[in-house]
């Protein structure tokens, strides 16, 4: 067979596979809608603030609730939990009363 | 147009035949290239699906959470805060929440122990009962069916009847939850009645006034830290904004690799290759034909790598639950939610990925040829 | 007919290694004949061939093909002239390594984008004519010298050009193969093709098929002998 025919056919097959996957994505997105709503309802009912993807340390389990000093809290040497800690650094600016710079300024004044 | 197409197909034929001469090298190149795209696309798919699901779930998060800080660290909020906040104008559903962490020596996992809000009948618990996350159930499978045995931090054995398990489809939010009644919670952590709350959550009557409420709270309770839902959403937006972190780092590595590859190609255009270009020109090929032929070489390899990589990444993330990425994310956590992510593709990121891979690679194959392609064809006679 | 009018070719002009390869050459090459450029190496015969075959442009002077000036055409048109008017047989054959014999024969037709089946049939017929049909799918590396040359001639003929240009065609061939080459030249001439050959091989310029012998010396034409 002509080489270009073979390769173009393979590429077309690949594109077809991508199209099938896109179709799968649409179907799944539709089908999973109710489950996601249920999860949102549960989160609202229980007042959950964080996702439970990492559970090995407090500051990665409750990212949005962590202390400003949380990386040091579990052990004196616990600077960082690799690799999740590198994905989930403590937020730099966190609300009007949070954040390193703003805290120092406000606390120092009072 | 028809001739143009036919001509391009012949050029594709030629470039394929030429590429087949170094099967091993080109197959390896394609493999490495596809692998790189596979990893990047997996991260993009995983990140965007997770971000979307987290965003949907966190829409219901408390509008405002108030924590007490003592010496810069999180401490229990005193019970009288609850009254102060309840009297604040614009605040609704002010609730003291009790939750904490528990390390279970039996399984080696960390749990998040919570008391459910009193006004939610779905989660109503009598003392001695518990509702647990699906991951915990899986972790303890086969042991104490129907019962959850926990050794409290102070050494007391707790035997709780498992009322039900939270649905697997919401594991992303609830994998490690252990819900117990307020009385059990206080006994479990040896807290006296009136010790206060882990934090205080509230809703705000008028969403536009969140900033004002936050300001009022920090004036009322100077030691409090206030976290708004916007903060939470922003935190997760940042965490899963892979562009800004890992992906960028990986991309820069990838781009450096491309640069090295391009340099290698540029400096590695051998006398033989130059001569071959001369032969083709002598046989009547134009400079544009040579360039088009080389363009197809780069374009076909990068297109094939892109298709293989992206199709593979989709299957990896959404059919096989990101089996390759998961260990990286799991770290050393014992409890890991089994998440079947709902496909959500960030088209912009995918297009960006296509641009930063296909174009530089194609350019890298074209540029070194340029000079050779414009030389006179009479070199073949010398 | 190709006419050259005071053609000069200087390589590396203005640099210390400047070489004047051709000086004020004027010549008329007739159609339908076999013309041989003869002379020692460095005499300028190969340079003359590259100018005639549109592989390079002269530094000064004019070259006309059937009355049309081809020495000052832009690259795009030069390539088109090269492709449609001339078929080249190079001294070292210059087959593309790693490609099959039939692919090599088809290469000059690629930029024209002809019908694939027609092109393949034409290439097959040419290989048949040169007794190479059984090697069509083999790589060119496995061919012997004589076979390589026949593939090179087949390639030169794929676009059915009027002019065939051969540079030192017998330099690497023994007497039997040289004789075979001359037979092929004879056939081409009978088919009405015009042939230009450079050679310092007396088996070539003494052959009876040759019509014109141009003797080159030091970048100039010494004698033109018409038979």
């Amino acid at each position: 067979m002509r080489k270009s025919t073979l390769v173009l056919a393979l590429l077309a097959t690949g594109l077809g596979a991508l199209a099938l996957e896109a179709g799968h994505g649409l179907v799944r997105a539709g089908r999973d809608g109710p489950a996601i709503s249920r999860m949102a309802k549960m989160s609202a009912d229980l007042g959950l603030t964080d996702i439970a993807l990492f559970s090995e340390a407090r500051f990665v389990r409750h990212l949005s609730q962590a202390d400003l000093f949380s990386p040091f809290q579990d052990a004196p040497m616990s600077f960082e939990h690799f690799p999740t800690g590198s994905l989930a650094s403590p937020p730099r600016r966190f609300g009007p009363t949070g954040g390193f710079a703003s805290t120092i300024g406000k606390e120092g004044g009072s | 147009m028809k001739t143009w197409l036919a001509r391009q197909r012949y050029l594709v034929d030629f470039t394929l035949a030429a590429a087949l001469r170094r099967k091993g090298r080109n197959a390896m190149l394609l493999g490495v290239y596809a692998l790189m795209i596979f990893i990047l696309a997996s991260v993009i798919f995983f990140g965007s699906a997770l971000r979307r699901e987290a965003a949907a779930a966190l829409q219901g998060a408390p509008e405002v959470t108030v924590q007490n800080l003592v010496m810069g660290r999180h401490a229990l909020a005193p019970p009288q805060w609850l009254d102060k906040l309840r009297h604040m104008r614009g605040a609704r559903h002010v609730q003291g929440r009790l939750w904490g962490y528990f390390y279970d020596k039996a399984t080696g996992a960390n749990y998040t122990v919570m008391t459910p809000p009193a006004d939610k009948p779905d989660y109503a618990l009598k003392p001695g009962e518990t509702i647990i996350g699906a991951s915990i159930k899986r972790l303890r499978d086969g042991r104490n069916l129907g019962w959850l045995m926990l050794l409290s931090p102070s050494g007391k054995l707790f035997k709780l009847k498992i009322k039900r398990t939270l649905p697997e489809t919401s594991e992303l939010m609830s994998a490690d939850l252990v819900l117990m009644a307020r009385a059990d919670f206080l006994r479990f952590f040896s807290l006296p009645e009136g010790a206060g709350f882990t934090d205080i959550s509230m809703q705000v009557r008028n969403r536009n006034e969140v900033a004002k409420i936050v300001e009022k709270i920090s004036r009322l309770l100077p030691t409090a830290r206030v976290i708004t839902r916007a903060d939470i959403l922003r935190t997760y937006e940042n965490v899963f904004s892979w562009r800004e972190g890992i992906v960028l780092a990986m991309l820069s590595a990838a781009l450096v690799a491309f640069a090295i590859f391009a340099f290698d190609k540029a400096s590695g255009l051998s006398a033989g290759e130059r001569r071959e270009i001369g032969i083709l020109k002598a046989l009547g090929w134009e400079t544009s034909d040579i360039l088009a032929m080389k363009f197809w070489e780069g374009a076909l390899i990068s297109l094939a790598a892109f298709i293989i990589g992206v199709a593979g990444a989709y299957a990896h993330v959404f059919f096989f639950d990101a089996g390759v990425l998961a260990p990286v994310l799991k770290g050393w956590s014992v409890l890991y939610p089994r998440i079947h992510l709902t496909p959500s593709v960030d088209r912009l990121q995918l297009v960006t990925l296509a641009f930063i891979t296909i174009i530089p690679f194609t350019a890298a194959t074209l540029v070194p040829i340029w000079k050779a392609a414009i030389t006179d064809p009479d070199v073949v006679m010398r | 007919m190709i006419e050259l009018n005071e053609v000069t070719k200087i390589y590396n002009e203005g640099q210390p290694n400047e070489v004047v390869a051709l000086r004020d050459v004027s010549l008329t090459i007739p159609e339908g004949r076999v013309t041989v450029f003869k002379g020692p190496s460095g005499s300028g015969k190969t340079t003359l061939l590259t100018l005639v075959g549109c592989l390079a442009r002269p530094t000064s002077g004019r070259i006309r093909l059937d009355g049309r000036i081809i020495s000052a055409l832009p690259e795009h048109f030069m390539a088109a002239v090269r492709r449609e008017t001339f078929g080249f047989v190079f001294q070292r054959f210059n087959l593309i390594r790693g490609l099959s014999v039939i692919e090599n024969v088809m290469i000059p037709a690629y930029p024209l984008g002809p019908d694939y089946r027609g092109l393949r049939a034409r290439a097959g017929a040419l290989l048949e004519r040169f007794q190479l049909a059984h090697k069509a799918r083999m790589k060119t590396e496995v061919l012997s010298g004589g076979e390589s040359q026949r593939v090179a001639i087949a390639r030169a003929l794929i676009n059915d050009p009027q002019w065939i240009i051969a540079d030192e065609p017998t330099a690497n061939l023994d007497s039997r193969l040289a004789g075979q080459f001359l037979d092929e030249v004879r056939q081409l001439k009978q088919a009405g093709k015009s042939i230009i050959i450079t050679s310092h091989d007396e088996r070539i310029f003494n052959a009876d098929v040759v019509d014109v012998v141009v003797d080159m010396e030091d970048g100039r034409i010494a004698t033109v002998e018409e038979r």
Side-chain angles (χ1 to χ4, degrees):
Chain A
M1 203 203 308
R2 197 175 167 185
K3 290 186 182 70
S4 57
T5 314
L6 184 68
V7 166
L8 293 176
L10 285 176
L11 285 180
T13 313
L15 286 173
L18 279 182
L20 282 181
E21 288 181 341
H24 169 266
L26 287 178
V27 171
R28 271 282 304 276
R31 215 182 53 198
D32 289 356
I36 291 183
S37 316
R38 273 201 302 278
M39 177 164 73
K41 168 94 166 54
M42 180 200 75
S43 309
D45 284 351
L46 292 176
L48 302 179
T49 51
D50 290 84
I51 65 172
L53 203 53
F54 325 117
S55 62
E56 67 256 44
R58 287 182 245 176
F59 78 96
V60 293
R61 172 63 182 86
H62 286 92
L63 279 172
S64 68
Q65 310 291 309
D67 298 343
L68 295 175
F69 304 97
S70 9
F72 304 97
Q73 71 193 352
D74 289 324
M77 292 300 288
S78 173
F79 293 113
E80 184 69 305
H81 291 286
F82 186 82
T84 45
S86 55
L87 300 177
S89 59
R92 281 218 143 257
R93 268 188 50 75
F94 211 128
T97 60
F100 306 105
S102 60
T103 309
I104 291 165
K106 276 180 190 157
E107 300 292 306
S110 61
Chain B
M1 188 63 193
K2 212 176 144 208
T3 321
W4 185 85
L5 275 180
R7 186 176 184 153
Q8 300 308 317
R9 260 192 87 183
Y10 280 117
L11 297 181
V12 169
D13 275 337
F14 181 88
T15 207
L16 288 173
L20 276 178
R21 292 183 296 191
R22 281 177 295 179
K23 275 191 217 80
R25 180 184 170 276
N26 284 311
M28 208 175 81
L29 178 70
L30 181 65
V32 171
Y33 193 179
L35 182 70
M36 192 187 83
I37 292 180
F38 170 79
I39 294 170
L40 291 177
S42 291
V43 172
I44 286 178
F45 285 147
F46 192 80
S48 82
L50 204 55
R51 197 160 53 207
R52 190 170 153 276
E53 237 165 85
L58 291 170
Q59 282 308 324
E63 204 118 43
V64 174
T65 314
V66 182
Q67 284 180 354
N68 186 19
L69 287 187
V70 173
M71 294 181 289
R73 306 190 65 163
H74 180 217
L76 291 180
Q80 50 277 27
W81 281 24
L82 204 57
D83 293 327
K84 285 190 183 177
L85 291 172
R86 274 187 178 141
H87 288 108
M88 212 161 75
R89 277 181 56 183
R92 285 194 311 159
H93 299 295
V94 180
Q95 272 178 329
R97 307 195 313 154
L98 281 172
W99 58 271
Y101 302 103
F102 172 67
Y103 175 72
D104 184 12
K105 285 184 189 135
T107 53
N110 286 324
Y111 301 155
T112 299
V113 185
M114 269 187 101
T115 56
D119 59 345
K120 296 287 187 280
D122 281 356
Y123 302 96
L125 286 172
K126 288 197 279 285
E129 283 179 344
T130 183
I131 296 175
I132 59 173
S135 298
I136 300 181
K137 186 189 173 225
R138 200 159 46 239
L139 192 66
R140 303 178 61 97
D141 228 7
R143 275 181 283 174
N144 308 319
L145 282 173
W147 295 89
L148 180 68
M149 312 283 275
L150 296 175
L151 197 61
S152 83
S154 54
K156 278 178 280 180
L157 187 69
F158 270 66
K159 191 178 174 193
L160 299 167
K161 186 172 179 4
I162 298 172
K163 192 180 172 197
R164 67 183 175 100
T165 307
L166 294 167
E168 283 192 11
T169 48
S170 50
E171 245 180 283
L172 180 62
M173 296 298 293
S174 65
D176 65 341
L177 287 190
V178 175
L179 302 182
M180 52 173 83
R182 182 183 155 83
D184 283 342
F185 186 94
L186 293 177
R187 275 201 305 134
F188 188 75
F189 288 110
S190 316
L191 289 168
E193 186 66 48
F197 306 100
T198 309
D199 54 25
I200 297 167
S201 71
M202 65 167 82
Q203 303 295 329
V204 173
R205 194 163 291 146
N206 181 354
R207 281 200 173 197
N208 299 325
E209 290 192 352
V210 171
K212 221 170 158 193
I213 296 268
V214 168
E215 203 192 311
K216 270 201 250 173
I217 294 173
S218 32
R219 238 182 300 131
L220 191 66
L221 309 165
T223 60
R225 185 165 79 126
V226 186
I227 299 154
T228 65
R229 180 155 64 207
D231 286 333
I232 294 175
L233 291 174
R234 202 180 318 130
T235 302
Y236 282 92
E237 195 57 41
N238 284 339
V239 167
F240 297 116
S241 232
W242 305 88
R243 262 181 298 199
E244 283 148 34
I246 285 219
V247 169
L248 211 85
M250 289 207 291
L251 282 189
S252 52
L255 289 176
V256 168
F258 269 134
I260 292 170
F261 176 76
F263 179 78
D264 178 58
K265 274 231 158 196
S267 54
L269 193 62
S270 65
E273 284 172 286
R274 260 171 222 286
R275 190 171 177 80
E276 209 169 281
I277 290 169
I279 296 171
L280 292 173
K281 290 199 78 175
L283 293 176
W285 285 37
E286 290 165 28
T287 306
S288 62
D289 294 326
I290 309 271
L291 292 176
M293 184 268 286
K294 276 288 161 187
F295 164 80
W296 285 118
E297 180 189 318
L300 286 177
I301 288 183
S302 46
L303 192 64
F306 186 78
I307 291 175
I308 295 170
V310 171
Y314 185 94
H316 164 227
V317 173
F318 299 119
F319 296 149
F320 299 103
D321 297 330
V324 179
L325 278 185
V328 180
L329 290 173
K330 273 180 192 170
W332 41 275
S333 56
V334 175
L335 268 184
Y336 189 75
R338 185 178 290 173
I339 39 172
H340 302 281
L341 288 170
T342 300
S344 153
V345 174
D346 188 333
R347 286 184 198 81
L348 181 70
Q349 283 193 346
L350 208 56
V351 170
T352 312
L353 180 66
F355 269 91
I356 58 172
T357 50
I358 293 176
I359 289 178
F361 185 85
T362 308
T365 51
L366 266 185
V367 171
I369 293 298
W370 189 270
K371 229 184 134 188
I374 55 174
T375 49
D376 273 340
D378 63 341
V379 287
V380 293
M381 303 288 264
R382 289 179 207 162
Chain C
M1 189 166 67
I2 296 175
E3 298 156 277
L4 291 91
N5 194 357
E6 295 186 351
V7 168
T8 299
K9 178 70 180 176
I10 304 170
Y11 289 109
N12 308 319
E13 198 176 5
Q15 285 168 30
N17 56 347
E18 182 178 285
V19 178
V20 181
L22 283 180
R23 279 175 219 274
D24 297 331
V25 171
S26 297
L27 179 70
T28 303
I29 306 168
E31 209 156 295
R33 304 287 191 83
V34 178
T35 307
V36 173
F37 299 162
K38 134 190 184 196
S41 59
S43 61
K45 58 185 194 300
T46 297
T47 303
L48 188 58
L49 201 64
T50 62
L51 295 182
V52 167
C54 279
L55 290 172
R57 292 191 190 90
T59 310
S60 68
R62 278 182 181 168
I63 303 172
R64 285 192 178 82
L65 172 69
D66 299 330
R68 177 176 163 222
I69 296 174
I70 56 170
S71 52
L73 289 175
E75 204 263 354
H76 177 73
F77 293 97
M78 280 224 344
V81 170
R82 210 151 59 221
R83 174 164 78 213
E84 282 151 26
T85 319
F86 297 102
F88 293 90
V89 180
F90 302 102
Q91 182 179 358
R92 283 187 275 162
F93 315 130
N94 281 339
L95 301 179
I96 308 276
R97 287 171 59 83
L99 267 62
S100 70
V101 167
I102 194 154
E103 280 170 327
N104 261 284
V105 172
M106 286 156 61
I107 283 172
Y110 282 3
L112 296 168
D115 170 63
Y116 183 74
R117 273 184 212 181
L119 176 60
R120 206 164 163 98
R122 259 193 292 150
L126 279 170
L127 288 176
E128 190 85 46
R129 174 174 155 192
F130 291 104
Q131 291 97 46
L132 284 165
H134 59 294
K135 300 211 167 172
R137 299 178 80 88
M138 290 185 188
K139 304 256 182 267
T140 54
E141 293 93 297
V142 303
L143 299 178
S144 68
E147 286 168 337
S148 296
Q149 188 177 58
R150 272 152 39 216
V151 173
I153 297 172
R155 181 176 68 181
L157 293 173
I158 190 73
N159 285 342
D160 196 22
Q162 175 55 39
W163 296 80
I164 310 292
I165 289 179
D167 185 27
E168 299 282 2
T170 54
N172 304 315
L173 300 182
D174 61 25
S175 311
R176 188 178 62 83
L177 291 172
Q180 208 172 32
F181 173 75
L182 286 168
D183 283 343
E184 278 144 18
V185 169
R186 197 168 290 118
Q187 281 178 32
L188 291 171
K189 185 179 160 187
Q190 272 161 14
K193 306 281 183 201
S194 320
I195 296 137
I196 307 173
I197 303 170
T198 65
S199 187
H200 57 260
D201 182 351
E202 58 185 16
R203 291 176 302 191
I204 295 287
F205 54 75
N206 289 339
D208 53 0
V209 69
V210 174
D211 299 302
V212 182
V213 177
V214 179
D215 197 350
M216 304 278 302
E217 207 170 282
D218 204 15
R220 295 172 203 273
I221 294 174
T223 59
V224 178
E225 178 195 350
E226 288 193 46
R227 293 176 181 167

